[in-house]
Amino acid sequence: MLALTESAGPWLIGVYRMVIGFLFFCHGTTTLWGWPIEPYGGATAEFGAWPSWWAAAIQVVGGLLIMIGVGTRVAAFVSVGSMAVAYFWKHQGDGLLPVQNDGESSALFCWALLILVVIGPGKLAVQPVLDRLRGRAIPANTTGSGTVPQAPEPSMAQH
């Protein structure tokens, strides 16, 4: 059983990344364009309005990058920050606990995205394909960590 969970782990992380990215993306599209549903209160954010438009832009771009697996750790890190700000700035003043202050989605997104910052994109990410096309080395491990070792500098003897 342990061997199965270890081999399936990177694949499950990849699916987890895609689901979290999609949900985060939809959270932003709702605020910006009223799709797939109208936002809470019925009004979309005006272009450039602080902080709603900027938060939604981070959600759309970050969610898309996370969903497809490009720059996952950086996109998740920025997204974690935006959700922490949303929680403490918008929700915390209305009560101590997320269930009291309507901050559950901010708190859950914050922690779900933090996991991706730490463990990386898993399998099914586009980043390794892009790295291969650019001729960058791909790590030997199969965890899908998203880290790419840098090629060593050529020595003077090779010139």
Side-chain angles (χ1 to χ4, degrees):
M1 180 70 171
L2 183 59
L4 176 63
T5 58
E6 285 192 20
S7 65
W11 294 96
L12 184 58
I13 292 166
V15 172
Y16 171 85
R17 171 188 44 78
M18 289 186 274
V19 170
I20 295 300
F22 177 72
L23 294 173
F24 201 57
F25 173 81
C26 287
H27 200 70
T29 61
T30 296
T31 302
L32 289 180
W33 304 298
W35 179 89
I37 63 167
E38 285 188 9
Y40 182 74
T44 57
E46 289 186 35
F47 181 80
W50 179 258
S52 58
W53 186 89
W54 294 97
I58 290 171
Q59 292 162 10
V60 168
V61 173
L64 183 62
L65 291 172
I66 291 164
M67 191 178 3
I68 64 174
V70 173
T72 301
R73 284 188 159 132
V74 172
F77 182 76
V78 171
S79 299
V80 164
S82 76
M83 288 294 95
V85 167
Y87 183 77
F88 288 109
W89 190 0
K90 182 177 187 298
H91 299 287
Q92 186 65 49
D94 295 333
L96 178 63
L97 300 174
V99 72
Q100 293 172 309
N101 61 30
D102 199 29
E104 290 116 328
S105 65
S106 296
L108 285 170
F109 273 127
C110 192
W111 287 103
L113 292 161
L114 184 60
I115 290 170
L116 292 173
V117 172
V118 173
I119 63 175
K123 294 287 187 177
L124 304 171
V126 172
Q127 189 69 55
V129 175
L130 295 176
D131 291 341
R132 246 182 251 118
L133 291 173
R134 291 184 189 134
R136 293 171 66 185
I138 301 298
N141 69 19
T142 58
T143 62
S145 66
T147 59
V148 178
Q150 298 297 318
E153 291 291 323
S155 68
M156 293 304 288
Q158 293 175 342
H159 289 278

